[in-house]
């Protein structure tokens, strides 16, 4: 369930209900075995998927951000830069071997 719905807003209570656990028990077990919270897992999954799409496609960066679950392009750019150390645009340039045009 989590693997197929990471683009949607996180609803931990719904996830817990789907596996017949309390929210707190699910969160505890998830953190114990995955070593990160459910929200952090989904956040990382979104950013990893965005990075893969930026490397592999010519899709607009704002469209990629939206597709992976970041409705606000500014939030997406900020989160991406914090995670990868580069803006999505600079990451694409680096991965494609394009020279900096600035």
């Amino acid at each position: 369930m989590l693997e197929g719905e990471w683009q949607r807003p996180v609803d931990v209570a719904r996830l817990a209900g789907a596996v017949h656990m309390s929210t707190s028990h699910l969160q505890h077990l998830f953190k114990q075995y995955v070593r990160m919270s459910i929200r952090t897992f989904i956040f990382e999954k979104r950013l990893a998927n965005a990075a893969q799409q930026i490397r592999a496609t010519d899709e607009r960066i704002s469209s990629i951000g939206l597709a992976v679950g970041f409705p606000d392009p500014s939030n997406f750019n900020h989160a991406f830069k914090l995670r990868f150390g580069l803006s999505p645009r600079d990451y694409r340039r680096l991965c494609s071997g394009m020279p900096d045009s600035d």
Side-chain angles (χ1 to χ4, degrees):
M1 178 176 191
L2 185 59
E3 187 64 32
E5 296 190 21
W6 53 266
Q7 298 99 328
R8 295 181 183 185
V10 182
D11 186 348
V12 178
R14 191 170 63 83
L15 291 172
V19 294
H20 309 289
M21 289 184 189
S22 70
T23 302
S24 62
H25 188 60
L26 174 63
Q27 289 174 323
H28 174 77
L29 287 176
F30 194 92
K31 192 160 191 168
Q32 180 180 349
Y33 289 103
V34 182
R35 302 282 187 228
M36 65 179 75
S37 71
I38 294 170
R39 291 185 191 281
T40 300
F41 174 83
I42 291 171
F43 188 75
E44 290 292 324
K45 179 88 172 160
R46 287 176 178 163
L47 290 174
N49 190 272
Q52 186 277 326
Q53 288 186 50
I54 289 169
R55 287 190 310 270
T57 72
D58 291 328
E59 185 70 36
R60 293 183 57 201
I61 289 171
S62 59
S63 297
I64 291 172
L66 186 60
V68 300
F70 288 90
D72 181 354
S74 178
N75 286 344
F76 171 63
N77 288 330
H78 180 73
F80 194 94
K81 189 168 185 173
L82 282 176
R83 174 64 180 84
F84 294 101
L86 297 167
S87 69
R89 179 178 166 203
D90 290 341
Y91 183 82
R92 177 173 274 164
R93 278 194 197 128
L94 180 69
C95 292
S96 69
M98 291 173 39
D100 194 354
S101 62
D102 292 342

